[in-house]
Amino acid sequence: MGGMSEEKPWPDSIQAGECEQHEPLVRRVLAPNPSPYTYTGTQTWIVGAGSDVAVIDPGPTGSGLSIGDPSDINGIGHVDAILRAVEGQRVAAILCTHTHRDHSPAAAPLKEATGAPIIGCAPLALSDDGPRADSAFDPDYAPDRVLTDGERISGDGWTLEAVATPGHTSNHLCFGLVESGALFTGDHVMAWSTSVVSPPDGDMAAYMASLSKLYDRDDRVYYPAHGAAVTKPRQLVRGMLGHRKQRERQILRELEKGTSVIPEMVKHMYKGLDPRLTGAAGRSVLAHLIDLENRGRVARDAERWRLVA
Ligand SMILES: [Zn+2]
């Protein structure tokens, strides 16, 4: 899953299964899994215009999501749509930004169809204590090679560099296209919605640090895994940093007023929220509270939170 928004999906310029050219080296294929968490659906990015390509975030498979059935639309599966888009080119690498089920499950069938290695983020080692939202994780993700921050892979006319961006998940990577200054941001930065940060695998302090890391870069355009391309990247990132700081101030105010449990805070902070998104909003508030707890600003007794005097 990516973000959360009550906004109605934008009328996308393409239908699920179709392929659209965004710049000479970059194409997009839309997966058929629209939802409040995935917007118009997962976007699979294809990089390369020569003899070979990289495929970023191959997307979901049929059993991967509880919302809709993304395996089949009009009789055409998403993997088939990717294969059609790259006809005549060799798939040199399958890259995954992270292992949520709307991003990585199709890596395995795509590898089977093309023989390409799966490269990119690490598999996620899940700790097993505490409540979690791990139903959204892909437990079967098995990379052939894991990239660390700054590592590059290249093909015919393209070079992709891994940019470690933990926060949305601990294993999240963005990929920079060296030749054009584009950055594939996965679920780390999206224009349509703030990113879901759900503990324990989502970490608000790490997320903020990863936002600052992108703010210090000079990427020309972002291609997120959901929603429109971002043509003013630093402006958006600055706004997101500000938004998170504002949420933190709101939480501190709620605690000052004596609100101590998360569902009450969500009710006050997210007016008119789509009921389907209250769980995700609560996880986000929890992520802020854990960050504040780690900084010694708040403490908890079971489900009740309070300011530290
Ligand atoms: Zn995600």
Side-chain angles (χ1 to χ4, degrees):
M1 67 187 189
M4 44 177 281
S5 175
E6 299 162 81
E7 308 263 316
K8 289 274 173 287
W10 58 319
D12 205 320
S13 50
I14 57 172
Q15 300 283 314
E18 290 179 355
C19 181
E20 181 181 50
Q21 190 89 36
H22 281 254
E23 57 177 90
L25 286 176
V26 178
R27 283 167 285 168
R28 169 177 76 110
V29 179
L30 181 65
N33 60 332
S35 79
Y37 289 104
T38 57
Y39 206 33
T40 58
T42 303
Q43 302 177 140
T44 298
W45 294 99
I46 298 168
V47 177
S51 61
D52 63 15
V53 296
V55 175
I56 300 176
D57 283 344
T61 53
S63 57
L65 288 178
S66 55
I67 26 184
D69 177 8
S71 66
D72 193 45
I73 183 159
N74 302 328
I76 303 161
H78 186 54
V79 171
D80 291 336
I82 296 169
L83 291 173
R84 214 173 31 192
V86 302
E87 213 177 323
Q89 294 173 301
R90 185 175 69 87
V91 178
I94 302 163
L95 290 98
C96 295
T97 58
H98 65 299
T99 47
H100 276 150
R101 287 192 182 183
D102 53 327
H103 292 257
S104 56
L110 188 61
K111 176 183 175 176
E112 203 176 297
T114 62
I118 300 169
I119 298 174
C121 71
L124 198 60
L126 296 172
S127 56
D128 56 4
D129 53 323
R132 60 188 317 122
D134 65 355
S135 58
F137 280 93
D138 168 15
D140 301 321
Y141 172 72
D144 297 289
R145 183 182 157 199
V146 170
L147 294 180
T148 56
D149 188 49
E151 275 195 279
R152 292 182 171 195
I153 64 159
S154 57
D156 183 8
W158 54 267
T159 311
L160 288 165
E161 180 173 305
V163 182
T165 42
H168 173 68
T169 58
S170 57
N171 61 353
H172 195 287
L173 297 178
C174 295
F175 298 107
L177 177 56
V178 174
E179 285 78 4
S180 84
L183 187 73
F184 299 92
T185 53
D187 284 357
H188 178 50
V189 174
M190 301 172 284
W192 68 283
S193 159
T194 56
S195 181
V196 170
V197 178
S198 179
D201 307 300
D203 181 310
M204 190 58 73
Y207 180 71
M208 296 288 277
S210 293
L211 282 181
S212 295
K213 182 176 188 174
L214 292 202
Y215 188 70
D216 291 339
R217 294 169 54 93
D218 60 350
D219 300 297
R220 179 180 54 83
V221 60
Y222 289 169
Y223 295 122
H226 310 275
V230 178
T231 53
K232 293 191 170 113
R234 294 184 81 236
Q235 191 177 313
L236 180 70
V237 169
R238 190 175 57 224
M240 286 182 158
L241 281 162
H243 170 77
R244 298 290 175 163
K245 282 173 191 153
Q246 194 191 339
R247 280 276 184 242
E248 182 181 293
R249 285 195 294 273
Q250 271 186 304
I251 290 167
L252 290 170
R253 271 203 301 275
E254 286 295 320
L255 292 167
E256 268 166 33
K257 286 192 301 187
T259 314
S260 63
V261 293
I262 290 172
E264 283 297 309
M265 293 182 205
V266 169
K267 220 180 282 174
H268 299 160
M269 291 169 55
Y270 297 79
K271 299 279 184 207
L273 183 71
D274 182 332
R276 291 174 296 178
L277 298 175
T278 47
R283 303 303 296 172
S284 179
V285 171
L286 175 63
H288 276 291
L289 285 165
I290 290 171
D291 180 24
L292 287 164
E293 183 182 38
N294 290 337
R295 284 150 52 200
R297 302 280 307 274
V298 307
R300 63 175 140 180
D301 306 298
E303 303 295 301
R304 296 198 169 274
W305 293 83
R306 60 183 161 77
L307 289 171
V308 171

